[in-house]
Amino acid sequence: RLTTLLNKKNKMSTGISFTSPVADDMLHAKDGDVVNRSLHTIVSVNAPAGSCIVINGEKATAIDDTFIARVILNNYKNIIEAVDENTGDKKSITVYWLPNFAGKYRLSIDDNIWFLRDLHKNNCASLFDNSYLAFLKNVHETYGTKIHLNLFYQTDGFNLSELSDQYKDEWKANAHWLRLSFHALGEFPDQPYINGSYDQVKHDCTLVDDQIKRFAGASLMGPFTTIHWGEASREAARAVRDCGYKGLLGYFGLYPAFTGVSYYLDDDKKERVNKRFVWKDDEMDMVFTRTSIVIDREKIDTIVPMLDDYKVGNNMPPYLDMLVHEQYYYPDYFNYQPDYKEKIMTAVKWAVDNGYQPAFLADCVFEK
């Protein structure tokens, strides 16, 4: 009891501090009321009891040392300022308003390279003569799903420079539902960029991106990706940022057995992304989003219950990102999942049945 009172006193003595939202939060339709594409949301700050707090021109209602006011966010990037009119003390934060974020979903697939090797080896007449791509096209045609593939540069006996550009027109014709991006140089070593240097990651990212442009075209690319293992030093992340990627997907605590998969973020920021599904490192100009399910980590009969758990406490993901990995599709892979296709269809059907609409992340988190 004494410790609680002392902590409260210390908190009160620090002046104004924002409690919700906090700096660099990215807000969406679940954070308030949308009126004519503006977000009306509640802002709360802590300040010493007896303060006269005004937030963006609105006098805040006081409840002890908590002060709340409704503000309107009209822009992608917004400044919220709280002023104590008794003392002149003021604090401000930057937050973002994402009008196209809530209610959207995509399917994201990591570790892709084997289907490209098969296209090369079999000299297929069409992209969709490859059974993996044919299945993904069926997912799209059935549900309208947008699908994002993160690519390795190389695997045993093949690298992207060997793939013919004969499919380029076909890639472009499917750019409305298909994305390609950098993932890593290759599958091994594990966590290749957890201590990665800027030059190493810039080199590997450029290798992949140059080949995507050559064989598929820039229309298949976008400013979002997932780095292999979801781990990267700050300098590694800066390298992919300088290659044009402004968003990174990770687990951020979704699966407790994986303590990382959170890039370079500290525990506080990791928890922020875990809770809100999205957050921006303003200094890096990098957006972080959390996946909602890793499909290949679930059994077929746990996918729907796992997703249904989000309904408890009205905790439905604002954006539903569903992640899976390529390798589990193949019968000759040691960890082959014979129900791979059924799992994906089950997860995607849940998204559609629960009102989510297909959209690439890049179309939902960046300024238009």
Side-chain angles (χ1 to χ4, degrees):
R1 173 71 174 165
L2 178 60
T3 300
T4 300
L5 290 172
L6 288 173
N7 286 341
K8 185 173 182 180
K9 182 178 179 181
N10 288 336
K11 180 176 68 174
M12 293 171 62
S13 67
T14 59
I16 298 170
S17 61
F18 282 85
T19 57
S20 180
V22 300
D24 299 345
D25 270 354
M26 307 194 88
L27 281 68
H28 46 76
K30 290 170 66 70
D31 289 312
D33 299 316
V34 180
V35 180
N36 297 325
R37 289 188 66 82
S38 295
L39 181 69
H40 295 232
T41 189
I42 298 297
V43 174
S44 67
V45 303
N46 284 335
S51 299
C52 182
I53 302 295
V54 173
I55 303 175
N56 279 22
E58 295 292 324
K59 185 172 181 179
T61 300
I63 306 173
D64 296 327
D65 63 342
T66 298
F67 297 80
I68 63 172
R70 180 177 287 265
V71 304
I72 301 174
L73 306 182
N74 296 306
N75 305 311
Y76 175 71
K77 187 174 184 176
N78 304 269
I79 303 298
I80 301 177
E81 182 179 72
V83 179
D84 185 344
E85 293 194 332
N86 290 341
T87 66
D89 184 26
K90 64 176 64 175
K91 293 285 175 62
S92 65
I93 60 171
T94 298
V95 300
Y96 296 84
W97 157 226
L98 307 179
N100 302 312
F101 187 69
K104 306 300 195 301
Y105 85 98
R106 71 166 185 170
L107 177 65
S108 176
I109 308 181
D110 282 356
D111 297 357
N112 288 277
I113 187 69
W114 289 355
F115 82 93
L116 296 167
R117 181 179 62 185
D118 290 348
L119 280 171
H120 168 69
K121 286 187 173 181
N122 295 322
N123 193 27
C124 296
S126 163
L127 290 175
F128 304 106
D129 289 342
N130 172 269
S131 64
Y132 174 77
L133 275 182
F135 164 64
L136 296 183
K137 187 177 183 183
N138 182 44
V139 176
H140 166 69
E141 290 177 341
T142 303
Y143 293 109
T145 308
K146 309 284 189 179
I147 301 176
H148 189 131
L149 307 180
N150 299 298
L151 308 185
F152 291 137
Y153 176 75
Q154 63 190 21
T155 189
D156 292 342
F158 173 76
N159 69 60
L160 295 183
S161 72
E162 300 174 68
L163 183 64
S164 170
D165 64 0
Q166 71 190 67
Y167 311 107
K168 197 166 190 176
D169 288 344
E170 198 171 15
W171 284 114
K172 290 179 179 180
N174 290 278
H176 61 288
W177 66 271
L178 195 57
R179 285 285 182 274
L180 306 176
S181 65
F182 165 73
H183 195 47
L185 184 66
E187 183 172 6
F188 302 107
D190 294 341
Q191 300 173 300
Y193 305 126
I194 191 169
N195 296 307
S197 70
Y198 179 94
D199 290 343
Q200 172 199 4
V201 178
K202 184 76 178 292
H203 170 270
D204 292 356
C205 188
T206 301
L207 268 181
V208 173
D209 287 356
D210 284 352
Q211 292 304 317
I212 294 173
K213 292 172 188 174
R214 178 190 63 80
F215 70 71
S219 62
L220 272 291
M221 304 177 71
F224 226 96
T225 192
T226 305
I227 292 178
H228 192 31
W229 280 85
E231 295 285 358
S233 67
R234 193 173 184 86
E235 285 307 298
R238 194 178 300 280
V240 297
R241 176 65 187 86
D242 288 350
C243 286
Y245 293 105
K246 300 190 294 182
L248 295 170
L249 179 84
Y251 290 7
F252 300 100
L254 172 62
Y255 289 91
F258 293 87
T259 56
V261 201
S262 305
Y263 300 96
Y264 60 83
L265 299 191
D266 61 26
D267 287 344
D268 287 344
K269 299 301 188 295
K270 171 182 169 181
E271 179 58 28
R272 197 70 186 163
V273 184
N274 179 285
K275 177 182 177 181
R276 292 194 46 78
F277 292 86
V278 61
W279 179 81
K280 184 172 184 180
D281 180 341
D282 210 30
E283 185 277 329
M284 180 75 81
D285 190 24
M286 184 69 78
V287 174
F288 295 91
T289 60
R290 199 202 90 181
T291 193
S292 302
I293 184 173
V294 181
I295 295 170
D296 50 64
R297 297 207 61 81
E298 301 293 329
K299 297 183 183 300
I300 185 67
D301 59 356
T302 67
I303 290 173
V304 169
M306 188 270 190
L307 291 169
D308 278 345
D309 279 348
Y310 284 118
K311 297 177 182 179
V312 178
N314 193 28
N315 194 38
M316 290 283 277
Y319 184 102
L320 185 74
D321 189 283
M322 299 182 294
L323 176 64
V324 69
H325 298 76
E326 182 196 8
Q327 301 98 315
Y328 299 98
Y329 173 80
Y330 299 95
D332 57 353
Y333 182 55
F334 80 98
N335 231 355
Y336 168 58
Q337 297 184 0
D339 53 1
Y340 182 92
K341 293 192 285 188
E342 185 183 359
K343 283 182 173 185
I344 288 176
M345 284 297 199
T346 298
V348 172
K349 183 178 185 300
W350 186 94
V352 174
D353 288 348
N354 282 273
Y356 287 92
Q357 299 293 319
F360 290 119
L361 262 172
D363 294 330
C364 300
V365 299
F366 302 122
E367 188 171 17
K368 297 295 185 183

